[in-house]
């Protein structure tokens, strides 16, 4: 049995079907079904699959930033114990990390475009032999005579308008700034960030004749199949990727990376499985970075703080010809008013590893700066920062005039402020001192665009009344297994232990993949649609209208009619594939998830050390599909905010372009000791335009602005108005007041 529904999502589904089902599992804080496997170490991650006769590959990275590889001294290495091959195939570094599948390769192994670009793969019988040989491989380079800039702000850096971002212009910003009662014109900087996913990038490749099978750690399997097929010039139908567990990605695994292509080429040549696992340092140096940004924010307001003009201009960077440019102004477009506006992103072409999507690309760094600048305006106008936000929420998206699908920002601000105790904040800096610590509070709004993307999922209601959900959707730690099971359980009236979810295999229908906070709502909508089709069949079998069908605990009921699912199915399975694609709702409405952050910090009066003491976040993102996994996403995002505000920073050596802090010892993500009690409030909301589930994305929302709240709290604590992230001690110290002065 199968049925084709209208695939595109063209008008808001206001039935709110999931509010009329009775199983009561949707939204509940259910545990992840795969959790015990993960915590006991028995979930199999990419590098852990066992194959007989598996050879081990280690990548060799360039030790110059720009030039050509003249010669690899292969023979000496081939004579080393266990070494099987040294590969330097042009296809190996063919890379389409951020959406350029099907287009020409950007870099190749004979030219070096950035320091640590992979240039070869050494394969041996054991990992130790391969690593030893890779380290021993001598490479002759010819350095470029006309190198491009290593620093985006260097005068020789070429600056372009990117392809993926459009300038928004309306009215006359200069005039608005001139006419404004209050005008803020400030420049902020954010450094590059690493995704720093727990699981390093790893692939095991194996050929079965002309069919390639990869066990790899990726976020977007259906897309990754196309990328790898494109790199190898083979038919995508011949590629299968298996990735049931992915140890985080945060954007770094949206696209395939060098180790996957290298493993596939090596396995084809050696006619045996080849595993390539990147070291932590290689992941840092070659996979991808979030661009550093320079952001100029202009805020022009009337005497009451209402914006009449808004400017947000950013300089970001990437390698030449790369398509991606950090979309810094993405949320600025719709968040606040001010008809006179100029929003623009420019990209400097520099020699550093590819810049791409890192957790909440755009908003993560754009919101933290916009919200810090808003704090500066609140101070100038002399109104409460929460009130300033509320005064500036437009009825429609400025310039373009689009309606909002739903927006719980006022509720988030109010409920967050109340829970946090914002009324205890003293508006002027340097008012609260506890021993050697200045104490301060700050806040920021959260906003992140919502996206529904194409997805398919197959649901089987088995003759025994249990359900099976199948899609290649990944679970990168976000809770896909739990959520997709809950949607099916709710729709089919089954307790959660009667639903089995199988993910992460491209032989299954293509889900959305995990990225852009769209996985749960997109693949979840496909699961919902498959279940709707099953409900129709069940209602026909029971002899009632679909709308009158009531499913709970494996029993179908309608009025006086009642039958167990297994009786109703009469020994047959029902199999349906649900599909969804974005449609008119994506154009008709501005869709975003919203929230508010509140932070309390202590800044050491002598050393400038900042400790975050507590944080509260309140978030509205449509229907909550699983209160536990949603809360975890918000918590994780706020932890990213702590890192962005205080410690995280990719440091490049401008003499040769190498990344200095290429591991978790030197690139400081927050550790337990840095993370205080964090309170997360999930608001009740339905957004029918966003998805049939009435849900919006939540994955990345918790980072979008969080660092701004901390920055603003630092100012409130000690009067240090810093505009250069992260706010490390050395930057705070020069701004500290006299530590011995009397506190007012
Ligand atoms: Mo996300 S940065 O789209 O994984």
């Amino acid at each position: 049995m199968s049925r084709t529904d209208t695939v595109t999502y063209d008008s808001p589904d206001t039935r709110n079907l999931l509010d009329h089902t009775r199983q009561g599992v949707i939204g509940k804080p259910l545990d992840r079904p795969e959790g015990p496997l993960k915590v006991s170490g028995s979930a199999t991650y990419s590098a852990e699959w066992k194959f007989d006769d598996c050879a081990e590959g280690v990548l060799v990275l360039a030790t110059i930033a720009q030039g050509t590889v003249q010669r690899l001294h292969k023979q000496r290495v081939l004579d080393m114990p266990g070494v099987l091959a040294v590969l330097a195939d042009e296809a190996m570094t063919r890379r389409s990390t951020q959406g350029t599948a099907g287009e020409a390769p950007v870099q190749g192994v004979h030219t070096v475009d950035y320091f640590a670009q992979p240039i070869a793969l050494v394969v041996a019988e054991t990992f130790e032999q391969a690593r030893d040989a890779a380290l021993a491989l001598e490479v002759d380079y010819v350095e470029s005579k006309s190198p491009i800039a290593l620093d985006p702000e260097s005068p020789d850096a070429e600056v372009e308008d990117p392809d993926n971002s459009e300038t928004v212009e309306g009215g006359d910003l200069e005039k608005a700034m001139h006419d404004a009662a209050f005008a803020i014109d400030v420049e902020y900087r954010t450094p590059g960030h690493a995704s720093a996913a727990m699981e390093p990038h790893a692939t095991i490749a194996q050929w079965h004749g002309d069919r390639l099978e990869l066990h790899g750690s990726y976020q977007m399997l259906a897309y990754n199949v196309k990328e790898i097929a494109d790199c190898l010039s083979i038919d995508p139908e011949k590629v299968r990727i298996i990735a049931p567990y992915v140890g985080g990605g945060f954007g770094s695994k949206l696209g395939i990376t060098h180790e996957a292509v290298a493993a596939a080429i090596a396995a084809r040549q050696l006619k045996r499985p080849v595993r390539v696992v990147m070291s932590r340092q290689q992941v840092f140096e070659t996979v991808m970075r979030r661009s550093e940004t320079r952001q100029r924010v202009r805020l022009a307001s009337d005497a009451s703080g209402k914006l009449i003009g808004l400017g947000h201009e950013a300089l970001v960077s990437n390698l030449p010809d790369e398509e991606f440019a950090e979309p810094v102004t993405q949320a600025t477009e719709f968040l606040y008013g001010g008809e006179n506006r100029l929003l623009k992103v420019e990209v400097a072409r520099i020699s550093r590893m590819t810049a791409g999507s890192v957790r909440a690309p755009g908003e993560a760094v754009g919101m933290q700066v916009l919200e810090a600048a808003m704090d500066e305006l609140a101070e100038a106008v002399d109104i409460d920062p929460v009130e300033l936000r509320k005064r500036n929420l437009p009825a429609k998206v400025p310039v373009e005039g689009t309606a909002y699908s739903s927006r719980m920002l006022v509720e988030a601000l109010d409920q967050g402020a109340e829970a946090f105790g914002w009324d205890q904040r003293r508006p002027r800096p340097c008012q609260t001192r506890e021993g050697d610590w200045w104490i301060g509070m700050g806040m920021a709004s959260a906003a992140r665009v919502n996206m529904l993307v194409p997805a398919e999922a197959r649901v089987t209601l088995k003759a025994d009344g249990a359900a099976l959900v199948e899609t290649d959707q990944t679970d990168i730690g976000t809770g896909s297994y739990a959520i997709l099971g809950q949607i099916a359980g709710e729709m089919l009236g089954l307790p959660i232990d009667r639903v089995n979810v199988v993910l992460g295999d491209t032989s299954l229908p293509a889900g959305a993949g995990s990225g852009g906070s769209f996985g749960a709502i997109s693949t979840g909508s496909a699961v919902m649609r498959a279940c709707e089709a099953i409900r129709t069949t069940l209602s026909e079998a029971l002899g009632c209208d679909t709308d009158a069908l009531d499913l709970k605990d494996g029993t179908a009921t309608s009025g006086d009619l009642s039958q167990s699912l297994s009786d109703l199915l009469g020994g047959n399975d029902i199999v349906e594939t649900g599909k969804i694609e974005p449609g008119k709702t994506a154009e008709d409405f501005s869709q975003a998830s919203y929230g508010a952050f509140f932070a309390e910090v202590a800044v050491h009066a002598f050393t400038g050390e900042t400790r975050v003491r507590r944080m509260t976040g309140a978030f509205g993102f449509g229907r909550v599909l699983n209160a536990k996994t949603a809360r975890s996403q918000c918590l994780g995002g706020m932890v990213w905010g702590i890192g962005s505000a205080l410690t995280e920073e990719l440091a490049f050596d401008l003499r040769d372009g190498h990344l200095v802090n290429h591991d978790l010892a030197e690139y400081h993500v927050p550790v337990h000791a840095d993370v205080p009690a964090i309170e997360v409030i999930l608001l009740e909301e339905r957004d029918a335009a966003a998805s049939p589930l009435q849900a919006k994305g939540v994955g990345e929302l918790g980072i979008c602005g969080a660092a701004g709240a901390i920055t603003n709290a630092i100012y409130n604590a000690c009067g240090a108005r810093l505009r250069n992230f992260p706010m490390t001690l050395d930057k705070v110290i020069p701004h500290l007041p006299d530590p011995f002065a009397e506190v007012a």
Side-chain angles (χ1 to χ4, degrees):
M1 249 175 278
S2 117
R3 181 178 280 108
T4 317
D5 287 307
T6 323
V7 174
T8 54
Y9 195 51
D10 291 319
S11 57
D13 182 346
T14 53
R15 294 173 303 159
N16 287 10
L17 196 54
L18 290 168
D19 286 323
H20 306 298
T21 47
R22 287 207 303 125
Q23 190 61 34
V25 291
I26 199 74
K28 290 285 164 353
L30 298 188
D31 291 342
R32 300 154 193 266
E34 82 288 8
L37 291 177
K38 287 180 174 171
V39 297
S40 64
S42 42
T44 310
Y45 287 84
S46 299
E48 298 175 328
W49 292 83
K50 299 270 185 284
F51 290 94
D52 292 338
D53 204 29
C54 188
E56 306 286 342
V58 169
L59 289 167
V60 177
L61 311 186
T63 55
I64 62 166
Q66 298 173 64
T68 52
V69 174
Q70 199 179 36
R71 183 158 173 232
L72 297 169
H73 295 268
K74 288 186 190 179
Q75 197 51 51
R76 263 181 267 171
V77 159
L78 286 167
D79 293 341
M80 291 175 71
V83 174
L84 299 166
V86 178
L87 300 168
D89 191 307
E90 186 69 41
M92 203 184 84
T93 48
R94 202 173 157 169
R95 188 180 37 67
S96 44
T97 305
Q98 298 293 337
T100 52
E103 290 179 21
V106 177
Q107 277 88 43
V109 280
H110 303 301
T111 63
V112 175
D113 295 290
Y114 60 96
F115 196 102
Q117 178 182 322
I119 52 170
L121 181 79
V122 177
V123 189
E125 292 292 346
T126 70
F127 170 72
E128 290 76 10
Q129 290 167 335
R131 185 178 53 183
D132 192 29
L135 287 170
L137 182 67
E138 275 184 49
V139 183
D140 295 340
Y141 300 97
V142 178
E143 295 216 39
S144 172
K145 293 208 175 56
S146 50
I148 63 166
L150 293 170
D151 184 315
E153 296 201 41
S154 121
D156 353 307
E158 195 179 318
V159 174
E160 297 174 355
D161 288 339
D163 299 338
N164 75 334
S165 155
E166 277 177 23
T167 300
V168 175
E169 270 178 292
D172 185 341
L173 178 60
E174 303 283 347
K175 183 167 183 306
M177 288 292 285
H178 182 263
D179 295 346
F182 299 99
I184 300 290
D185 184 350
V186 285
E187 193 168 76
Y188 280 76
R189 282 178 177 76
T190 65
H193 289 152
S195 287
M198 189 80 91
E199 180 198 22
H201 294 54
T203 300
I204 303 175
Q206 187 181 26
W207 291 81
H208 305 280
D210 64 349
R211 307 186 78 83
L212 172 64
E213 191 172 279
L214 298 177
H215 288 79
S217 185
Y218 294 100
Q219 295 176 224
M220 310 271 298
L221 301 191
Y223 171 66
N224 303 136
V225 158
K226 291 185 194 146
E227 290 181 297
I228 191 102
D230 176 48
C231 287
L232 302 175
S233 301
I234 61 174
D235 180 356
E237 297 285 316
K238 308 245 188 229
V239 180
R240 180 179 177 195
I241 303 182
I242 297 165
Y245 306 109
V246 177
F250 310 111
S252 72
K253 296 170 184 170
L254 285 171
I256 54 163
T257 34
H258 311 87
E259 96 290 348
V261 189
I265 291 170
R268 182 162 60 187
Q269 180 173 323
L270 296 171
K271 300 195 180 353
R272 57 192 275 199
V274 173
R275 170 181 15 232
V276 182
V277 181
M278 286 200 203
S279 67
R280 177 65 65 194
Q281 290 82 354
Q282 291 180 331
V283 173
F284 265 87
E285 290 172 346
T286 75
V287 167
M288 208 191 40
R289 63 188 171 96
R290 187 204 298 285
S291 172
E292 67 296 305
T293 71
R294 183 186 71 201
Q295 302 181 43
R296 180 186 186 191
V297 179
R298 282 181 282 177
L299 302 172
S301 86
D302 68 13
S304 73
K306 201 163 172 338
L307 287 165
I308 57 171
L310 174 54
H312 196 174
E313 294 158 273
L315 176 69
V316 303
S317 73
N318 209 338
L319 283 160
D321 301 326
E322 283 286 344
E323 193 175 272
F324 181 85
E326 181 83 22
V328 175
T329 60
Q330 194 156 259
T332 315
E333 286 182 27
F334 58 81
L335 184 59
Y336 299 128
E339 286 294 328
N340 298 293
R341 54 175 63 204
L342 174 61
L343 313 179
K344 186 171 170 57
V345 176
E346 290 181 313
V347 58
R349 297 302 176 186
I350 61 166
S351 169
R352 286 182 189 179
M353 83 192 95
T354 323
S357 288
V358 175
R359 199 69 169 166
E363 285 91 333
V365 283
M367 282 292 293
Q368 79 186 52
V369 167
L370 176 67
E371 290 300 292
M374 284 292 277
D375 200 64
E376 301 200 46
L377 179 63
E379 186 189 28
V381 179
D382 195 20
I383 59 172
D384 187 273
V386 173
E387 178 56 29
L388 179 70
R389 269 74 176 178
K390 289 201 218 166
R391 278 185 199 174
N392 282 295
L393 303 186
K396 297 206 157 160
V397 175
V399 183
E400 91 188 18
T402 321
Y404 295 97
S405 59
S406 70
R407 178 180 63 192
M408 297 269 284
L409 183 47
V410 170
E411 294 82 348
L413 289 162
D414 285 344
Q415 293 187 35
E418 160 107 39
F420 180 78
W422 182 249
D423 60 350
Q424 300 300 305
R425 174 181 179 264
R426 304 178 71 176
R428 307 252 158 274
C430 310
Q431 303 285 297
T432 309
R433 179 88 177 250
E434 288 180 13
D436 285 345
W437 298 86
W438 294 106
I439 311 300
M441 296 182 187
M443 59 78 54
S445 298
R448 170 70 179 158
V449 290
N450 181 66
M451 292 170 264
L452 183 69
V453 305
E456 284 186 41
R458 182 166 64 225
V459 179
T460 304
L461 183 60
K462 303 201 162 183
D464 66 358
L468 173 65
V469 177
E470 295 171 297
T471 152
D472 81 354
Q473 175 69 29
T474 43
D475 186 321
I476 60 172
T478 40
S480 309
Y481 284 101
I483 293 161
L484 299 180
Q486 281 171 277
I487 293 167
E490 189 63 45
M491 289 292 293
L492 299 175
L494 295 172
I496 206 66
D497 58 6
R498 297 283 284 158
V499 184
N500 187 23
V501 179
V502 177
L503 303 179
D505 181 339
T506 57
S507 64
L508 302 174
S514 300
S517 304
F518 52 61
I521 68 154
S522 303
T523 307
S525 291
V527 170
M528 182 181 175
R529 286 185 157 187
C531 292
E532 276 198 81
I534 292 172
R535 288 174 64 97
T536 302
T537 306
L538 290 174
S539 61
E540 284 160 9
L542 188 67
C544 69
D545 279 352
T546 309
D547 293 346
L549 179 70
D550 199 3
L551 297 173
K552 187 165 192 312
D553 291 331
T555 301
T557 315
S558 183
D560 296 341
L561 303 168
S562 181
Q563 248 185 301
S564 74
L565 287 181
S566 51
D567 286 352
L568 203 55
L569 289 161
N572 299 311
D573 293 352
I574 307 177
V575 185
E576 294 285 359
T577 299
K579 289 187 192 180
I580 190 121
E581 281 176 21
K584 261 174 69 51
T585 55
E587 293 150 30
D588 293 348
F589 299 94
S590 164
Q591 298 179 18
S593 297
Y594 294 91
F597 303 103
F598 297 85
E600 180 182 295
V601 303
V603 181
H604 197 276
F606 292 88
T607 69
E609 178 186 6
T610 298
R611 306 297 302 166
V612 179
R613 301 220 298 188
R614 60 194 183 93
M615 281 182 95
T616 297
F619 304 100
F621 47 94
R623 183 191 304 278
V624 177
L625 299 172
N626 178 319
K628 181 179 280 185
T629 59
R631 177 175 176 275
S632 287
Q633 293 298 299
C634 297
L635 284 176
M638 289 161 80
V639 171
W640 275 76
I642 296 171
S644 304
L646 301 179
T647 55
E648 289 188 50
E649 168 172 33
L650 290 177
F652 291 91
D653 186 326
L654 292 179
R655 292 170 303 180
D656 62 3
H658 86 274
L659 176 65
V660 179
N661 53 349
H662 60 182
D663 57 38
L664 291 169
E666 299 297 331
Y667 180 89
H668 291 167
V669 298
V671 298
H672 283 297
D674 299 316
V675 180
I678 298 180
E679 181 183 19
V680 173
I681 300 165
L682 306 179
L683 304 172
E684 267 294 317
E685 185 183 26
R686 300 286 181 265
D687 190 327
S691 63
L693 301 163
Q694 287 83 35
K696 293 186 279 197
V698 62
E700 295 161 314
L701 180 60
I703 182 174
C704 303
I710 295 167
T711 309
N712 299 339
I714 292 174
Y715 177 73
N716 182 247
C718 67
R721 185 67 88 184
L722 304 174
R723 302 192 181 95
N724 191 1
F725 288 91
M727 309 318 189
T728 45
L729 286 62
D730 54 307
K731 294 173 190 162
V732 177
I733 287 173
H735 299 272
L736 287 173
D738 175 2
F740 299 107
E742 283 290 306
V743 175

